[in-house]
Amino acid sequence: MKQVLVLGAGGFIGSHLVTRLKSEGCWVRGVDLKYPRYSPSAADEFVIADLREPANVRDALDRPFDEVYQLAADMGGAGFVFTGAHDAEIMHNSAMINLNVADAAAKRGIRRIFYSSSACIYPRENQTDPQDPNCREDSAYPANPDSEYGWEKLFSERMFLSFARNFGLEMRIARFHNIFGPEGSWNDGREKAPAAICRKVAEARDGGEIEIWGDGEQTRSFLYIDECLDGVLRLTRSDFAGPVNIGSDEMVSINRLVDMTSEIAGKTLRRKHVPGPVGVRGRNSDNALIGRELGWAPAAPLRDGLVSTYRWIAGRVDSGEADAA
Ligand code: NAD
Ligand code: GDD
């Protein structure tokens, strides 16, 4: 039986990944500061631990794991990452975790490690045209991420790759492009646009108005969680190290995202554009490299994932769940 460690197993992607690995028959240990918020973890063993502490990381890696998934990070959407208010904690906490994981894995002789980097590493000047952003993997340098979150991810990519060169870690690195789905943050200040828009649409009365940060013409692509897991597992079990984009290339404006969500909800809503943290003007996953190397591409359109995410969030709004911010 394959033995797998998931760091960040209490989070959105980590908790879904544990469920997937269990369904494959793996033995799974999950580690996080907290249990998953919305459903019990499927892990065989769930350890509550702070991975900023080197001894906790050494303890977490005390078995000859076949695969380690490093997803633990201080993370959030534009309202968390782009205000500047959390820069120090994001850089410090996530870098500490990654340094500890690389060191402990090398000392324990653990080989195969997946690391979740981000589209936020790409240079800001390549993402000024909302219709034609450049997020090709080889455009990362010369580096100029638009957030400290992006700089930390870029540092950690390089740090893990140096451990691969010098200590034999078999790194697999993905740059995620805005992953969404049920059981993700939706009301705690860390929610990303798909969840935030679903919540605002669910809370609004038909004929009413919802607030959107910026003019809504900024573009993004959004990848549904199940598709993300397919990409992660395929990359981790391949001979290709990356870094490689895991995202959707169905680019939409935020206004379009609002319209799609309103249509799914069966509501007619007005958009009120307000100042807010907007990040880069345009971003889209370039999937040429992953298509070539792994034959992977998302299978379903954005709308499909939006339907199940809207249903899940609307259900929570309808049941009167309090604001968790
Ligand atoms: P998440 O916030 O839901 O999960 C991260 C988990 O890490 C949380 O459960 C958190 O408690 C845990 N964690 C943070 N600090 C810790 C510590 N000191 N010790 C132990 N656990 C700690 O985020 P997610 O959306 O599941 O993202 C997973 C990974 O993917 C992160 O590294 C994130 O930066 C990366 N990523 C995600 C997206 C996305 O759109 N979701 C995009 C790009 C990159
Ligand atoms: N979160 C949020 N909430 N965003 C909104 C809202 C709202 O109510 N209204 C409009 N937006 C706009 C944001 O201003 C931004 O321009 C766009 O929607 C997308 O916002 P997010 O989904 O929050 O973040 P992002 O795509 O800019 O960056 C996220 O994805 C990266 C990977 O692609 C972040 O989560 C990063 O941490 C992550 O690495």
Side-chain angles (χ1 to χ4, degrees), residues 278-296:
V278 291
V280 293
R281 189 68 177 150
R283 176 172 289 155
N284 190 19
S285 185
D286 184 319
N287 286 351
L289 181 62
I290 196 162
R292 233 174 18 250
E293 293 290 341
L294 301 179
W296 179 88

Side-chain angles (χ1 to χ4, degrees), residues 13 176 179 223-232 246 296:
I13 300 173
F176 287 153
I179 316 302
L223 182 70
Y224 191 62
I225 180 67
D226 293 354
E227 310 252 31
C228 171
L229 298 182
D230 293 341
V232 167
I246 291 188
W296 179 88

Side-chain angles (χ1 to χ4, degrees), residues 13 15 41 71 78 86 96 103 125 128 135 155 220 240 252-253 259 279 322:
I13 300 173
S15 58
S41 174
L71 299 159
H86 305 284
M96 288 295 288
D103 185 56
E125 59 272 20
T128 53
C135 293
F155 161 76
R220 294 293 187 276
F240 181 53
V252 293
S253 69
D259 291 347

Side-chain angles (χ1 to χ4, degrees), residues 4-11 14 18 28-35 41 43 45-51 56-57 59-61 65 69-72:
V4 182
L5 176 65
V6 179
L7 304 172
V18 168
V28 183
R29 172 186 289 165
V31 185
D32 203 298
L33 287 170
K34 59 177 178 62
Y35 293 106
S41 174
E45 194 179 285
F46 198 101
V47 180
I48 296 291
D50 187 339
L51 296 168
N56 291 344
V57 180
D59 288 350
L61 274 78
F65 287 104
Y69 294 85
Q70 184 354 42
L71 299 159

Side-chain angles (χ1 to χ4, degrees), residues 170-308:
E170 294 171 359
M171 292 307 304
R172 299 289 179 266
I173 300 179
R175 295 173 179 160
F176 287 153
H177 288 247
N178 214 319
I179 316 302
F180 76 103
E183 305 197 353
S185 282
W186 63 284
N187 68 341
D188 63 358
R190 293 183 186 240
E191 63 274 12
K192 289 172 278 105
I197 302 302
C198 285
R199 186 195 70 232
K200 289 177 182 185
V201 169
E203 285 171 346
R205 61 171 178 79
D206 191 16
E209 181 178 81
I210 62 169
E211 290 193 348
I212 307 297
W213 299 340
D215 66 4
E217 293 304 315
Q218 66 268 44
T219 52
R220 294 293 187 276
S221 67
F222 305 101
L223 182 70
Y224 191 62
I225 180 67
D226 293 354
E227 310 252 31
C228 171
L229 298 182
D230 293 341
V232 167
L233 294 174
R234 193 177 297 200
L235 172 63
T236 304
R237 293 162 184 177
S238 77
D239 291 330
F240 181 53
V244 66
N245 293 325
I246 291 188
S248 161
D249 54 7
E250 185 184 341
M251 186 173 78
V252 293
S253 69
I254 299 303
N255 286 336
R256 174 79 191 121
L257 180 71
V258 172
D259 291 347
M260 286 174 87
T261 312
S262 308
E263 180 262 316
I264 289 165
K267 296 182 184 182
T268 304
L269 299 170
R270 277 169 288 115
R271 298 189 293 258
K272 181 181 179 191
H273 295 285
V274 299
V278 291
V280 293
R281 189 68 177 150
R283 176 172 289 155
N284 190 19
S285 185
D286 184 319
N287 286 351
L289 181 62
I290 196 162
R292 233 174 18 250
E293 293 290 341
L294 301 179
W296 179 88
L302 167 62
R303 192 180 186 287
D304 288 8
L306 212 47
V307 168
S308 49

Side-chain angles (χ1 to χ4, degrees), residues 124-187:
R124 69 168 77 208
E125 59 272 20
N126 292 349
Q127 300 173 87
T128 53
D129 179 349
Q131 297 315 317
D132 192 24
N134 177 10
C135 293
R136 259 178 53 160
E137 287 83 352
D138 61 7
S139 71
Y141 297 98
N144 189 20
D146 81 325
S147 64
E148 303 304 353
Y149 170 81
W151 278 107
E152 189 283 325
K153 288 289 188 193
L154 201 56
F155 161 76
S156 289
E157 281 189 7
R158 298 186 68 97
M159 188 272 302
F160 276 123
L161 289 173
S162 71
F163 272 71
R165 283 193 302 277
N166 298 162
F167 296 111
L169 299 193
E170 294 171 359
M171 292 307 304
R172 299 289 179 266
I173 300 179
R175 295 173 179 160
F176 287 153
H177 288 247
N178 214 319
I179 316 302
F180 76 103
E183 305 197 353
S185 282
W186 63 284
N187 68 341

